Amino acid sequence: MSKSEADTGPVRTESDVYDRQIRLWGADAQGRLSSARVLYVHISGVSSEILKNLVLAGVRATICDGRPFPSAIGTMPSSFFSPSERVSPETGGNEPISQAVDNREEGSESLRKKAKVVTVARAMQEHVHELNPLLDECEVNETLVEDVPDEYFAKFDLVIASCLGISQATRIASATTSAGGKFYLVDTFGLNGCAMVDLGKDHEFRREQGKKLLSVEKLPNYVSLKEMMSMKLSEATGRWDKVPPKIWAIYRAFLAYEGETGHFPASKRSDDFVEKTKKWLESSGSDKVGSDYLGADDDLKLLSTLASAEVSPVCAVLGGVLGNEAIKILSGKGEPANNLLMFDGSDGSYRSFLLKPPQ
């Protein structure tokens, strides 16, 4: 053994590190993963789990998150930061740190303008590189997402976003898919989680039959994220669902509130959330969905507190599932989940659902 190897240990090559993966899905698929570019917009508990899984699999990461650190992710469950790293210098750890999704909270912009404010993207950079030193340094974009041009998102094969409102999510999804990329919008709230998937109208894949790959086919039943968002809640029904799934109804209510007010629900805005959500439910225009579809006023107040409540096991499970889906998308092997995915942590169930506008 050479002196350098004695000091640093034997040099590990990509074929050594990714040997098990290459045996599982082949060298061609691993090559596609290694050359893919994945962008994470706004780090959350669930997106950080997806990032971890993909980086360990050899997929390069870029982070776009100009929110101030640590206030923007102070309550986020994550293995990237120790509790001491997430103590806000403004509060000294004695007051609650502003919740992750409310990136427009009063004072956030003034904090960013201070000379030495660290962004979430910059704080994550070193930790991401530690996960897999074989990859290039994690690129970061510290611009606020609303100021990032559409051309930037078009450069990536896959964009995974969290904590975004409808306007920004549809803008980024359109910019990404029109250039051939794929888009995920994923969030968790309490024991539940939801992901909206826009793979673009031209996505192709090959089904697997044992170890055999079948012929290439196009994704069936494509619906853009913009079309999904424009649907009324009462239209979210199917053969086995005569009424809209409750997890989707809750997530859509959060997005509707953000679209009207510019911020996500929180406990201090619970009364306003109750009032606006009941009106939004009534506007659905169907006897299947009434103002009490998500419960009484007390139930809606409880939901307002869950909008920012990320539970670590829920993030880990959903992040693992979506990490696997991302590998199928990037490698082109296996039929990917499409449209809407929902996770119910109360019983551990996970299901897909097709949001399809009425003909």
Side-chain angles (χ1 to χ4, degrees):
M1 180 181 292
S2 66
K3 186 176 185 302
S4 60
E5 286 184 336
D7 293 337
T8 63
V11 177
R12 303 185 70 192
T13 64
E14 289 192 10
S15 59
D16 295 327
V17 174
Y18 307 133
D19 177 68
R20 293 177 64 185
Q21 296 169 199
I22 293 172
R23 293 172 184 268
L24 177 62
W25 50 61
D28 179 63
Q30 183 62 43
R32 292 186 182 186
L33 294 178
S34 298
S35 62
R37 299 193 65 192
V38 179
L39 174 69
Y40 300 84
V41 179
H42 286 174
I43 294 297
S44 66
V46 63
S47 68
S48 67
E49 288 289 338
I50 301 172
L51 183 153
K52 177 194 69 177
N53 294 330
L54 293 185
V55 167
L56 290 174
V59 183
R60 291 176 297 168
T62 300
I63 299 174
C64 177
D65 197 336
R67 298 174 299 167
F69 176 83
S71 60
I73 60 171
T75 58
M76 179 188 87
S78 173
S79 57
F80 285 97
F81 302 108
S82 65
S84 61
E85 289 181 275
R86 289 185 279 176
V87 173
S88 172
E90 286 74 34
T91 66
N94 296 320
E95 299 175 14
I97 300 174
S98 55
Q99 65 105 339
V101 296
D102 207 350
N103 53 34
R104 301 184 190 182
E105 194 71 49
E106 182 180 356
S108 291
E109 185 62 29
S110 61
L111 285 174
R112 270 187 47 81
K113 292 180 179 178
K114 291 182 180 180
K116 296 184 179 180
V117 166
V118 177
T119 63
V120 173
R122 184 65 62 184
M124 285 284 295
Q125 186 179 37
E126 181 180 354
H127 294 287
V128 173
H129 185 64
E130 289 174 351
L131 279 177
N132 192 342
L134 288 178
L135 299 180
D136 297 332
E137 185 177 56
C138 174
E139 296 179 15
V140 297
N141 185 332
E142 300 180 86
T143 307
L144 291 175
V145 67
E146 55 265 32
D147 297 327
V148 179
D150 292 356
E151 295 76 17
Y152 178 77
F153 303 106
K155 300 187 299 183
F156 295 92
D157 300 294
L158 173 62
V159 176
I160 298 172
S162 291
C163 313
L164 285 183
I166 294 175
S167 62
Q168 289 302 321
T170 53
R171 176 179 77 91
I172 297 172
S174 178
T176 304
T177 56
S178 62
K182 324 298 177 187
F183 180 82
Y184 276 6
L185 176 65
V186 55
D187 288 291
T188 61
F189 34 95
L191 292 179
N192 300 321
C194 197
M196 302 182 72
V197 182
D198 188 342
L199 301 181
K201 61 181 180 180
D202 297 321
H203 180 70
E204 295 181 337
F205 65 96
R206 299 178 69 181
R207 297 179 189 270
E208 293 180 297
Q209 192 176 71
K211 293 185 177 181
K212 180 183 178 182
L213 285 175
L214 304 182
S215 58
V216 176
E217 57 184 289
K218 273 195 172 184
L219 184 77
N221 301 316
Y222 171 69
V223 182
S224 69
L225 186 128
K226 184 176 181 180
E227 291 176 300
M228 289 186 249
M229 290 292 195
S230 64
M231 290 176 57
K232 289 186 176 182
L233 180 62
S234 59
E235 296 171 341
T237 57
R239 181 178 180 183
W240 309 111
D241 296 88
K242 302 308 179 184
V243 295
K246 284 294 177 72
I247 292 177
W248 167 241
I250 294 170
Y251 188 45
R252 191 62 183 81
F254 293 158
L255 292 172
Y257 183 80
E258 193 281 338
E260 184 175 353
T261 66
H263 43 70
F264 282 89
S267 56
K268 62 183 178 182
R269 291 187 285 269
S270 60
D271 290 334
D272 187 50
F273 176 72
V274 170
E275 178 184 354
K276 288 181 169 56
T277 299
K278 291 175 74 172
K279 290 180 179 178
W280 173 74
L281 288 169
E282 289 173 352
S283 69
S284 178
S286 169
D287 55 3
K288 298 177 183 178
V289 178
S291 61
D292 60 348
Y293 186 67
L294 294 178
D297 288 8
D298 288 342
D299 298 314
L300 291 176
K301 287 182 179 181
L302 177 60
L303 286 180
S304 70
T305 67
L306 295 178
S308 62
E310 294 186 283
V311 179
S312 183
V314 174
C315 294
V317 173
L318 187 56
V321 171
L322 294 177
N324 184 58
E325 291 298 329
I327 288 174
K328 289 196 286 186
I329 289 171
L330 296 173
S331 67
K333 296 183 65 174
E335 182 179 6
N338 180 34
N339 203 273
L340 182 66
L341 309 174
M342 295 172 288
F343 176 73
D344 185 346
S346 64
D347 59 10
S349 62
Y350 167 81
R351 63 173 295 203
S352 60
F353 184 85
L354 179 63
L355 288 172
K356 192 173 182 180
Q359 300 298 323

